[in-house]
Amino acid sequence: MTHADIISVIEAYASPTLQESWDNTGWQVTPSGTTDLCTGVMTCLDITPAVVDEARAKGCNLIISHHPLIFRGLRSITGAGNAEQAVISAIRSGIAIYSSHTALDSTQGGVSHELGSRLGLTDMRPLSPSSVSPDAGLGVIGTISGGITRAAFIETVKRAYDAPTVRVTQGPRETGDIHTVALCSGSGGEFITTAITLRADAYITSDVRYHDFLDHGQKIIIIDTGHFESEICTKSIFSRIISQKFPNFAVHMATCEQNPVAYI
């Protein structure tokens, strides 16, 4: 199989047409085009020099990431920063790189749906439906059968996201069972008011601003899990998509990745 064969499966699941206008889903590096035979795939959240080194050591000449390696643009490639070093290393090693960012976030059964499934949500639907497809969109909202207490739900979130700690609103919404939950992987603070309008009892996302807690904490329970924790599951999603289509093909999940944020 070629690189293009592998990526066609990813794009059939998460069409690039679903990406946000500001995003850079797609090919990031193709040292010799996309028709080379693929010797192995490595999946990851972020492209770093260490991930490229691990891919090369495991015989993978294709890396698929969630976060784009080239996002805000590179004005030079001198090896001065991590992104530049990764580009140089990938080209020297003949490793192609593809990223599926908000396309994977928005697709039906995407990142937020994966997290919702881990939480046991049912009847999930998009929190912010896509203009491309009503069944796709950023975030999800769903229900927890029978409801759950605030304390028990927070522990459930920590386990589902493998989060050592979370930031949570405190205030009037500390009592009463949680039945309706909205969430958005990555930085989804912009959808807090949407979750409130849809009468969610709790909203889970990351990178929440202090004033969002202050302004909305009396209306909804806000849980900030951390950005890494909310998206590290993407490498499992990529691996599953490929393995289901090509069960005998070598797919590796990067083991060198670690959260750049420490909790002390």
Side-chain angles (χ1 to χ4, degrees), residues 167-170 187-194 196 203 205-224:
R167 295 195 300 153
V168 187
T169 50
Q170 56 180 352
S187 302
E190 64 192 283
F191 301 123
I192 293 174
T193 54
T194 303
I196 293 171
Y203 180 59
T205 191
S206 69
D207 303 334
V208 179
R209 301 177 304 172
Y210 167 82
H211 283 284
D212 286 330
F213 282 108
L214 181 65
D215 295 341
H216 306 297
Q218 295 185 1
K219 301 174 184 177
I220 192 170
I221 298 169
I222 302 170
I223 302 177
D224 185 328

Side-chain angles (χ1 to χ4, degrees), residues 92-171:
R92 285 176 172 171
S93 303
I95 296 174
I97 298 173
Y98 180 93
S99 302
S100 182
H101 190 208
T102 53
L104 187 67
D105 289 326
S106 289
T107 193
Q108 189 175 15
V111 188
S112 293
H113 192 279
E114 172 79 13
L115 295 168
S117 296
R118 294 185 180 190
L119 290 170
L121 300 187
T122 59
D123 302 321
M124 284 186 281
R125 63 188 189 279
L127 180 63
S128 176
S130 168
S131 60
V132 177
S133 170
D135 295 325
L138 295 172
V140 296
I141 184 168
T143 59
I144 295 180
S145 179
I148 187 173
T149 66
R150 178 182 184 272
F153 182 66
I154 291 171
E155 292 305 313
T156 299
V157 171
K158 290 167 69 175
R159 287 193 300 270
Y161 284 69
D162 194 20
T165 185
V166 294
R167 295 195 300 153
V168 187
T169 50
Q170 56 180 352

Side-chain angles (χ1 to χ4, degrees), residues 165-245:
T165 185
V166 294
R167 295 195 300 153
V168 187
T169 50
Q170 56 180 352
R173 289 304 308 268
E174 292 190 16
T175 59
D177 286 354
I178 294 170
H179 297 272
T180 303
V181 175
L183 65 90
C184 183
S185 60
S187 302
E190 64 192 283
F191 301 123
I192 293 174
T193 54
T194 303
I196 293 171
T197 300
L198 294 175
R199 298 185 180 279
D201 300 306
Y203 180 59
I204 312 164
T205 191
S206 69
D207 303 334
V208 179
R209 301 177 304 172
Y210 167 82
H211 283 284
D212 286 330
F213 282 108
L214 181 65
D215 295 341
H216 306 297
Q218 295 185 1
K219 301 174 184 177
I220 192 170
I221 298 169
I222 302 170
I223 302 177
D224 185 328
T225 63
H227 199 116
F228 180 89
E229 289 82 359
S230 78
E231 293 189 322
I232 192 61
C233 65
T234 54
K235 60 184 177 183
S236 299
I237 298 173
F238 289 134
S239 297
R240 183 171 65 241
I241 294 168
I242 298 168
S243 295
Q244 286 176 346
K245 180 66 176 180

Side-chain angles (χ1 to χ4, degrees), residues 42 48-60 63 95 252-257:
M42 175 154 289
T48 63
V51 169
V52 177
D53 289 343
E54 184 178 349
R56 181 175 58 248
K58 292 184 177 177
C60 300
I63 300 174
I95 296 174
H252 302 271
M253 291 188 287
T255 61
C256 65
E257 287 191 283

